[in-house]
Amino acid sequence: MKDIVVSGARPTGNLHLGNYLGALKQFVAMQDSYNCYFFIADYHSLTTHPNPKDLHQGVKTVLVEYLACGVDPEKVTLYLQSDLVQIPELYLFLNMHAYVGELERVPTFKEKVRTQPDNVNAGLLTYPTLMAADILIHKATKVPVGKDQEQHLELARVYARRFNYLYGAEIFPEPVAFNMGNDLVKVPGLNGAGKMSKSDDESTSIFLKDSAKELHKKIMRAVTDTGPTMENQPKTEGVQNLFTLMSYVSDPEAIAYFETEYNAMRIRYGDMKKQLAEDMNTYLTPIREKIEELSHNDAYLKRVAEEGAAKARISAQNTIDEVRAIVGFKSF
Ligand code: ADP
Ligand code: TRP
């Protein structure tokens, strides 16, 4: 039996390089050797109250971009979260054994309380139980995600273990965050601090659909510093981030050249950025071209979503049938 894999991304905008390297590239790397379920987390996106008119467009964008990255619906089960009623049902069961205190301690929740105090809704608090339901509904053991999702995975294991223990049943395996290249990835943005994120200012994230011109403009404006003033000086975060981004897309010789220049205090950040923009463009061009091509093919997208939902429902319903029996629901 192949290991079961589940992962998804929220349809809250275009996918960026962090989504690609942290998740999508892993999806593609895993699709030949595992039993993969990849989905668009449209229920999760409701925590931010998207405009109903924009929601479908957002879902379409992410579906197109998954496919453009090489996710193959012939090899994996690709679906929308909201097409599986079994997910909110499992979410309800899990919520009964999820404690408010443990949910309030989740770092992403605490961060939202700080940054958006006017919208601390119950969906935000229970985001990790919905995510656990996404994973446990297919009894997955491996979850390809970026480093920022580690804590959510820890809670998914807690809920799996707790459910098994409380009902004396070995129904759920404990899922782990997974990356074929071993370490989980955290892709930095261009603003000199933290990870690349959709919630950042658009000008500091690199989107898969960005044109050569947009890439150039954003990268030339990336935060750096006034330059090293002694040999082998430790790098400031903005400069380190540029080197990290280069490590994903540039030749080792180009990286070594700019390292040497930096250590000898000769570096011209403008030259380094130009190189990075060029290499980033070469790296992203095939994906951008596919995005363009697929976004006009609504009939294909419809077929992919419908076939994926039909396949995913079978596995989800099997789990829900077991859960209902374990919990004690019986039909007359
Ligand atoms: P965002 O954080 O931009 O809103 P999502 O939360 O929808 O994106 O994340 C979808 C996937 O992309 C998750 O697996 C997440 O770990 C990964 N991801 C997001 N940002 C990064 C990043 N900067 N580096 C690595 N992985 C990331
Ligand atoms: N929480 C994830 C994120 O923000 C998206 C997500 C929702 C997910 N459900 C999931 C990822 C289940 C993996 C498995 O990035």
Side-chain angles (χ1 to χ4, degrees):
M1 265 269 285
K2 285 182 181 172
D3 278 3
I4 299 173
V5 175
V6 166
S7 193
R10 292 170 300 137
T12 46
N14 291 96
L15 296 180
H16 53 70
L17 188 74
N19 299 136
Y20 180 66
L21 295 172
L24 268 298
K25 196 170 165 216
Q26 289 298 311
F27 294 6
V28 176
M30 296 177 89
Q31 64 187 355
D32 285 313
S33 23
Y34 296 99
N35 183 5
C36 297
Y37 293 86
F38 297 134
F39 68 97
I40 296 168
D42 48 0
Y43 280 136
H44 280 281
S45 72
L46 296 181
T47 57
T48 58
H49 304 163
N51 180 335
K53 284 201 210 92
D54 301 339
L55 185 58
H56 181 72
Q57 188 54 43
V59 170
K60 180 181 166 184
T61 299
V62 174
L63 181 57
V64 163
E65 295 187 359
Y66 271 20
L67 295 165
C69 288
V71 173
D72 182 349
E74 302 289 323
K75 294 180 179 167
V76 308
T77 305
L78 178 58
Y79 59 98
L80 312 189
Q81 185 187 32
S82 64
D83 277 336
L84 266 62
V85 292
Q86 296 84 355
I87 291 174
E89 185 169 350
L90 182 57
Y91 167 63
L92 182 145
F93 286 121
L94 296 177
N95 269 334
M96 299 302 168
H97 302 295
Y99 294 100
V100 171
E102 70 195 351
L103 290 166
E104 280 173 341
R105 283 194 295 276
V106 175
T108 44
F109 178 72
K110 290 203 284 195
E111 165 87 11
K112 296 285 180 202
V113 172
R114 213 173 45 244
T115 55
Q116 50 172 70
D118 298 339
N119 183 22
V120 183
N121 60 63
L124 204 54
L125 182 69
T126 56
Y127 187 106
T129 43
L130 181 55
M131 180 159 163
D134 293 329
I135 298 166
L136 301 180
I137 198 74
H138 300 300
K139 302 189 181 184
T141 53
K142 290 188 169 60
V143 185
V145 282
K147 199 164 171 48
D148 58 317
Q149 297 298 313
E150 256 176 332
Q151 260 123 1
H152 288 154
L153 260 294
E154 176 62 39
L155 267 184
R157 286 192 288 279
V158 168
Y159 296 138
R161 218 178 293 139
R162 191 175 289 165
F163 194 94
N164 291 346
Y165 173 76
L166 288 172
Y167 294 101
E170 277 304 310
I171 171 166
F172 295 126
E174 292 186 26
V176 292
F178 183 78
N179 185 301
M180 300 274 265
N182 301 323
D183 287 342
L184 299 185
V185 179
K186 179 181 154 189
V187 178
L190 298 170
N191 55 357
K195 61 158 191 156
M196 186 174 290
S197 169
K198 286 191 213 97
S199 47
D200 283 347
D201 174 359
E202 293 221 335
S203 65
T204 62
S205 294
I206 292 169
F207 294 102
L208 303 182
K209 63 137 186 63
D210 281 345
S211 66
K213 211 168 136 197
E214 282 165 322
L215 290 172
H216 184 83
K217 196 164 136 195
K218 286 181 185 180
I219 291 171
M220 293 314 283
R221 285 194 189 153
V223 171
T224 52
D225 53 31
T226 50
T229 51
M230 45 179 211
E231 283 181 14
N232 302 316
Q233 188 171 311
K235 299 183 182 96
T236 55
E237 194 176 351
V239 173
Q240 179 54 51
N241 289 351
L242 288 185
F243 274 98
T244 303
L245 290 169
M246 262 198 144
S247 75
Y248 302 131
V249 299
S250 300
D251 286 340
E253 300 86 70
I255 300 168
Y257 169 78
F258 288 108
E259 281 283 358
T260 308
E261 293 294 288
Y262 180 88
N263 288 330
M265 300 183 297
R266 283 192 306 257
I267 191 152
R268 288 163 51 162
Y269 293 136
D271 291 350
M272 182 179 175
K273 287 172 168 179
K274 236 170 105 187
Q275 179 78 46
L276 175 61
E278 231 170 78
D279 296 340
M280 192 62 75
N281 183 48
T282 306
Y283 188 78
L284 294 179
T285 295
I287 298 179
R288 186 199 311 135
E289 287 174 354
K290 281 243 178 67
I291 292 176
E292 177 54 26
E293 179 190 320
L294 285 159
S295 53
H296 303 295
N297 200 343
D298 284 351
Y300 175 64
L301 300 177
K302 181 176 158 68
R303 199 174 78 226
V304 166
E306 284 176 359
E307 287 177 3
K311 265 203 283 178
R313 279 187 201 115
I314 296 171
S315 149
Q317 193 56 47
N318 286 339
T319 305
I320 281 295
D321 289 346
E322 267 185 84
V323 168
R324 289 179 72 96
I326 288 170
V327 168
F329 286 136
K330 284 187 187 160
S331 43
F332 283 97

